[in-house]
Amino acid sequence: MYINTHIRLCGCCWALRPRYKRLVDNIFPEDPEDGLVKANMEKLTFFALSAPEKLDRIAAYLSERLTRELNRHRYGYVSIAMEAMEQLLLACHCQSINLLVESFLSTLRLLLEADKPHLHILATNSFLKFANIEEDTPSYHRSYDFFVSRFSEMCHSDHHDPNTKLKIRVSGIRGLQGVVRKTVDDELQANIWEPRHMEQIVPALLVNLQPHGNSSSRKFDCCTEVCFRELLGRAAYGHINNAIRPVLMHLDSHSLWEGRGFAVRCFQIIMYSIQSQHSHLVIQQLLGHLDANSRSPASVRAGIVEVLSEAAVIEAAGSVGPTVLEVFNTLLRQLRQSVDYQLTGYYDNARKHKTTSPEEKMLQDAVIKTIGSFANTLPVYQRSEVMLFIMGRIPVPGIYPALGSPNAGRMIQVMLLKSLLQVSEPYESNNLLTALPSSFLEPLLSFTLMEDPEIRLLVLSILTSLIDRRHNACRLISTSAAFEVSALELKEDECSRQDNLFIRKHAQRLYRHVFLASKEESSGHNHYRALFTLLGVLGVELANEEVLVDLIRLVLAMQVSGVLQVIENLSVFNRCGIHAVCSASLNLLSQLGPPPALRQHVAEVTETRQKEAPYLLPDHILFRIPEKELKMDEAILFKASKICEALAGSSYSTHSERINMPYTPELTDEDRLSRRKSIVDAVSLQMDMELNCCKPQSEQITFETLKSAVEEEERKRMQLVEKFQTAPFEEIAAHCGARTSQLQSKLNRVFELIIRPPPSPSGLSPPRSVPIYEMKFPDLCVY
């Protein structure tokens, strides 16, 4: 009984209290406005460092004093107590800091649970000082779940006073920043990357990144962005998905995709903050989210696609990930779905939610732009694979019924060709065989035979962008009737071995489709400009004697098709466009190496056209088009004979003789599918000319004989053209029928000579043999 009474008396008497309590009590002044007593604080610090085993008791007593002062609403002493605990934390060695931390964190919880904003700010500042202390000894039992929840709640503060609201939100952001710094590098701490923590931290930061329309909100915008960047910059490979998923959920729940500005800014911060080797994980998350929102409004889908496009631009080259084609497959699938939604007017199967054509077109443009952005991040060999992949997805006319309607098939073709153009424009390859393999070139050229003018124009642009490796097409767009090639500053180079192989393999097919595309009735000004650009790029990129002669021969054939109005059935504008392309192309080709005589002939014809027929020149194609029939005089046409004479005696003379041979494309299945009657007529006309040329020559062949024969054949050809232009249909049909009967009778005679057996020496005709297909063989002989 005496002992207990003595202990109680020692507790009441200040002199008999433990030393650490007296040292703690001495740091508090009589007036809280005087602040911490520094001399006494130094004594307390020295005692704590001298006796580190007393640290836990000192911290517990400081926490007790702070709690008592907090309950009495003496906030000045509360601030002094927190300052003392902070100084002790900073002064103690790392090995003994754990003795203080538990009391320190429990004290911070008391301040954060109070309803006074200034206490929240005080606790946050103390926590930041603690977060900056590096600890060598890990803690196995420390938890920061409360601080994550409380700081996130402070970030959503809606205090009635704007200044107080701003201070609380800034404190919450800084508190989260401290939690991240303290926990992210310590594997023994609670995992801050767990979904339950990320779903609190990320939305709290995003709310403060959103524009609020007042000047005060911008003050802590920079602080929020710094915290967000620091969080993402510390994310490892396995943490990216947990950090990105709350961002997508926040943008969905607050309808922030439609504005697109904030969503783009968020993912710009993300892509610049995370490690570059992890960027493809963000792309995969966005692609999956795009698929999940395939039944959302077009504005939402367009917002996600635009974010994808911006993310692809920021992304390091070649880091799209192992599933490159999956990216383009998803985007192309979105294109096809958008076309279906545009045609039906609804973006859901139940047909409850309507959509409009402008909204879907906006989405389609965004998807096409994104495809180009992704292609720019890929190496050359992967771009070739992507182009082949897109080409394989373009529907052909035979599968239109599977698409629902011909209009749907046409729209999908246009969208995919635009996507292909986006990929091909930045494509640069030194080898045309790899850029235009047969598996890609043949289906692409088949689209030049389609009746849709937009599709043909897209195909011409794609071909030009792939062949134009030195970017000369932009210099050839704005050309006049008599432009100087030297002023265009074209970039030329010798034709490589791979280019020569490409020419031998694909040149004739390419020429054929250019020739057929020039005779389309639905072609406009852009089509003729694209044709000239393609011919110019072919001449510059694949410049050698054989190619230039073939291009000149092709241009002359195009000129002939512009003259034959009845057979080709072209309008005045189409014929003027063809002649304008021929004029500009020959002007360019004549300055790429041939002798000056060729350029002189081209200049003479161009000058004559400027005086007599300016509507046949490229800079007058849209003006002064005659309303009546065109008069094609020889003076305004380029002549094959003079071109041959101009090339004589030069390195081009070995190929120039082919210029006098009329160019006629072969008739293939593509032409039959396209239902072009003019091609059949041109081929039949060429057959007539060849049959007339195949007469036996008995006299000696000389130059004069050949010259007269050529002139005679030219006269007969013009007579034949005139006959087809002026003769009635019945006479032309009778003529063709007679020729067909004559040819059939000759074939029958040849077949009889082949089948008839040779005569026997005895004069008796041998017995007729049984044809092989009528013979009957034993079963054992049949294998």
Side-chain angles (χ1 to χ4, degrees):
M1 183 67 181
Y2 172 77
I3 296 174
N4 293 336
T5 305
H6 178 71
I7 293 174
R8 287 196 297 268
L9 290 174
C10 291
C12 296
C13 182
W14 185 83
L16 297 178
R17 301 183 70 187
R19 186 182 178 189
Y20 73 90
K21 287 188 177 182
R22 283 181 281 130
L23 291 174
V24 170
D25 291 337
N26 288 336
I27 67 174
F28 292 93
E30 293 183 2
D31 187 359
E33 294 182 359
D34 295 338
L36 182 69
V37 180
K38 296 183 179 180
N40 295 334
M41 186 63 209
E42 293 176 358
K43 294 179 182 179
L44 177 63
T45 305
F46 179 78
F47 175 79
L49 295 177
S50 302
E53 69 276 2
K54 301 288 186 179
L55 274 174
D56 55 342
R57 300 180 184 181
I58 295 173
Y61 184 64
L62 268 174
S63 177
E64 180 184 344
R65 281 291 306 262
L66 186 145
T67 304
R68 185 165 62 245
E69 301 299 343
L70 180 63
N71 293 332
R72 294 176 180 177
H73 304 289
R74 299 169 68 177
Y75 301 118
Y77 289 119
V78 172
S79 300
I80 293 173
M82 284 305 306
E83 184 179 355
M85 296 189 75
E86 292 170 8
Q87 291 190 20
L88 285 175
L89 280 172
L90 296 174
C92 291
H93 296 290
C94 297
Q95 291 81 4
S96 58
I97 195 173
N98 285 330
L99 299 174
L100 284 169
V101 170
E102 289 303 322
S103 298
F104 175 74
L105 293 179
S106 63
T107 303
L108 293 182
R109 291 191 190 98
L110 291 175
L111 297 179
L112 291 172
E113 288 174 350
D115 58 351
K116 299 296 181 181
H118 68 280
L119 296 179
H120 300 166
I121 297 172
L122 176 64
T124 303
N125 294 334
S126 298
F127 184 83
L128 284 175
K129 294 177 182 178
F130 163 69
N132 292 327
I133 298 175
E134 295 183 1
E135 300 183 54
D136 294 337
T137 305
S139 175
Y140 299 90
H141 57 278
R142 199 180 300 165
S143 175
Y144 297 95
D145 293 355
F146 169 80
F147 294 98
V148 171
S149 301
R150 190 69 185 96
F151 288 140
S152 300
E153 184 181 350
M154 291 169 62
C155 292
H156 294 277
S157 174
D158 196 17
H159 198 275
H160 62 276
D161 184 20
N163 293 329
T164 305
K165 172 184 175 181
L166 176 63
K167 292 179 181 179
I168 295 175
R169 288 197 173 194
V170 170
S171 297
I173 293 168
R174 298 177 66 215
L176 290 176
Q177 191 174 10
V179 172
V180 172
R181 290 178 182 176
K182 198 64 180 175
T183 60
V184 74
D185 294 329
D186 193 349
E187 296 180 357
L188 298 176
Q189 299 287 354
N191 189 1
I192 197 68
W193 301 106
E194 292 180 359
R196 60 190 180 94
H197 294 311
M198 287 291 102
E199 290 174 2
Q200 293 177 346
I201 295 174
V202 173
L205 296 176
L206 294 179
V207 165
N208 293 285
L209 275 178
Q210 292 177 227
H212 297 279
N214 51 51
S215 58
S216 61
S217 63
R218 299 187 184 95
K219 295 181 180 179
F220 63 93
D221 182 71
C222 182
C223 177
T224 307
E225 184 174 338
V226 169
C227 181
F228 195 33
R229 289 180 181 276
E230 186 172 354
L231 174 68
L232 295 167
R234 296 172 180 266
Y237 181 85
H239 304 149
I240 295 294
N241 291 339
N242 291 340
I244 300 302
R245 194 175 296 111
V247 178
L248 301 175
M249 295 172 60
H250 181 81
L251 296 175
D252 285 341
S253 60
H254 291 81
S255 302
L256 295 175
W257 293 111
E258 299 180 5
R260 283 177 286 176
F262 178 70
V264 169
R265 184 191 174 197
C266 284
F267 278 90
Q268 284 177 341
I269 295 174
I270 293 172
M271 297 300 294
Y272 281 121
S273 301
I274 63 175
Q275 302 177 37
S276 59
Q277 64 268 26
H278 301 160
S279 57
H280 69 277
L281 296 175
V282 181
I283 301 298
Q284 289 179 355
Q285 285 273 18
L286 285 170
L287 289 172
H289 198 67
L290 180 61
D291 278 337
N293 284 271
S294 59
R295 301 293 180 184
S296 299
S299 56
V300 174
R301 286 176 279 135
I304 301 174
V305 169
E306 186 171 346
V307 170
L308 270 169
S309 177
E310 294 295 330
V313 172
I314 299 171
E315 186 178 36
S319 64
V320 175
T323 56
V324 176
L325 296 181
E326 180 184 352
V327 175
F328 294 93
N329 189 32
T330 302
L331 294 174
L332 295 178
R333 184 167 59 248
Q334 291 296 324
L335 265 183
R336 183 159 183 166
Q337 288 179 353
S338 177
V339 170
D340 294 337
Y341 297 160
Q342 183 179 353
L343 292 174
T344 59
Y346 298 91
Y347 60 84
D348 61 337
N349 293 331
R351 300 203 170 206
K352 294 181 179 179
H353 302 285
K354 292 185 178 181
T355 186
T356 61
S357 181
E359 291 178 346
E360 295 298 334
K361 288 182 178 179
M362 178 185 63
L363 169 65
Q364 294 161 10
D365 294 339
V367 172
I368 293 172
K369 176 186 174 183
T370 305
I371 290 174
S373 300
F374 272 108
N376 289 337
T377 66
L378 299 176
V380 174
Y381 72 94
Q382 283 188 332
R383 294 189 200 180
S384 301
E385 294 178 359
V386 170
M387 289 193 293
L388 281 172
F389 178 74
I390 297 176
M391 178 59 67
R393 301 294 298 273
I394 301 178
V396 296
I399 65 170
Y400 274 174
L403 297 172
S405 66
N407 193 24
R410 184 258 175 195
M411 292 175 65
I412 293 175
Q413 284 178 334
V414 172
M415 293 297 108
L416 295 182
L417 286 174
K418 286 183 178 180
S419 303
L420 194 58
L421 180 61
Q422 285 287 326
V423 179
S424 63
E425 282 181 344
Y427 182 81
E428 294 182 2
S429 175
N430 296 326
N431 190 351
L432 285 179
L433 284 175
T434 58
L436 291 168
S438 300
S439 57
F440 177 80
L441 182 61
E442 292 180 3
L444 180 64
L445 288 176
S446 65
F447 285 99
T448 60
L449 303 178
M450 298 195 66
E451 299 178 358
D452 193 294
E454 186 176 4
I455 292 177
R456 295 200 311 273
L457 183 60
L458 287 171
V459 173
L460 292 175
S461 302
I462 293 170
L463 287 171
T464 302
S465 62
L466 290 175
I467 298 175
D468 183 28
R469 295 167 294 180
R470 298 175 182 86
H471 307 289
N472 291 315
C474 58
R475 300 177 175 89
L476 296 173
I477 291 178
S478 57
T479 54
S480 58
F483 57 89
E484 293 288 337
V485 173
S486 58
L488 299 179
E489 299 180 357
L490 299 177
K491 298 179 181 179
E492 303 180 48
D493 200 356
E494 294 183 0
C495 194
S496 64
R497 178 176 175 274
Q498 291 82 3
D499 293 343
N500 288 326
L501 292 176
F502 173 80
I503 293 169
R504 295 173 184 174
K505 189 174 183 180
H506 300 297
Q508 295 303 320
R509 178 182 292 273
L510 191 59
Y511 299 154
R512 172 181 177 275
H513 283 271
V514 171
F515 176 74
L516 297 178
S518 67
K519 301 193 297 181
E520 289 290 342
E521 302 175 19
S522 58
S523 296
H525 182 263
N526 292 331
H527 293 80
Y528 296 118
R529 179 182 296 174
L531 281 171
F532 162 68
T533 306
L534 179 57
L535 289 172
V537 167
L538 285 171
V540 175
E541 291 286 338
L542 307 175
N544 60 37
E545 288 84 354
E546 184 178 1
V547 171
L548 285 177
V549 169
D550 284 341
L551 290 176
I552 292 173
R553 183 166 168 251
L554 174 63
V555 170
L556 292 176
M558 293 167 58
Q559 178 181 253
V560 172
S561 64
V563 174
L564 304 178
Q565 178 188 6
V566 175
I567 297 179
E568 300 298 346
N569 195 24
L570 297 174
S571 65
V572 174
F573 172 77
N574 295 135
R575 296 172 66 192
C576 291
I578 292 174
H579 285 288
V581 172
C582 296
S583 177
S585 300
L586 284 177
N587 185 29
L588 173 64
L589 297 175
S590 64
Q591 301 181 55
L592 294 180
L598 176 60
R599 183 178 180 184
Q600 182 179 358
H601 171 63
V602 174
E604 291 175 355
V605 176
T606 302
E607 185 178 356
T608 305
R609 287 188 177 186
Q610 288 177 342
K611 296 179 181 179
E612 300 180 6
Y615 43 81
L616 300 182
L617 297 175
D619 41 2
H620 294 281
I621 188 173
L622 294 179
F623 309 101
R624 300 175 58 187
I625 297 179
E627 298 179 357
K628 299 181 179 179
E629 181 61 30
L630 296 178
K631 295 182 179 180
M632 295 297 176
D633 299 332
E634 292 186 1
I636 61 176
L637 297 177
F638 300 99
K639 299 177 179 61
S641 58
K642 290 191 176 182
I643 293 178
C644 287
E645 293 176 3
L647 298 179
S650 65
S651 59
Y652 296 85
S653 59
T654 56
H655 306 284
S656 61
E657 294 299 328
R658 290 188 290 114
I659 294 179
N660 288 321
M661 299 172 58
Y663 175 81
T664 302
E666 297 178 359
L667 185 63
T668 63
D669 294 336
E670 295 173 341
D671 303 317
R672 298 186 181 96
L673 289 175
S674 62
R675 301 184 300 275
R676 278 185 171 79
K677 297 181 180 180
S678 58
I679 300 174
V680 179
D681 293 337
V683 173
S684 64
L685 175 62
Q686 182 66 21
M687 290 177 59
D688 289 337
M689 294 174 61
E690 291 176 355
L691 289 174
N692 291 332
C693 292
C694 295
K695 293 180 179 181
Q697 301 290 335
S698 59
E699 67 268 13
Q700 185 178 0
I701 299 176
T702 61
F703 176 77
E704 295 297 333
T705 305
L706 289 175
K707 183 178 180 181
S708 61
V710 170
E711 293 177 353
E712 180 67 18
E713 294 305 326
E714 182 68 18
R715 184 183 61 80
K716 291 181 178 180
R717 187 180 68 84
M718 295 304 297
Q719 290 179 353
L720 184 62
V721 170
E722 184 179 0
K723 180 177 181 181
F724 274 90
Q725 290 178 348
T726 58
F729 177 77
E730 292 78 6
E731 182 178 347
I732 297 175
H735 174 72
C736 294
R739 296 296 300 275
T740 303
S741 302
Q742 182 181 0
L743 179 61
Q744 186 64 40
S745 62
K746 291 182 178 180
L747 290 175
N748 293 335
R749 189 180 307 170
V750 171
F751 290 151
E752 290 177 359
L753 293 174
I754 294 174
I755 298 174
R756 182 183 302 169
S760 62
S762 61
L764 300 175
S765 60
R768 185 176 181 182
S769 60
V770 180
I772 295 177
Y773 58 85
E774 294 182 3
M775 291 182 179
K776 294 183 180 180
F777 296 93
D779 295 339
L780 296 177
C781 296
V782 180
Y783 294 95

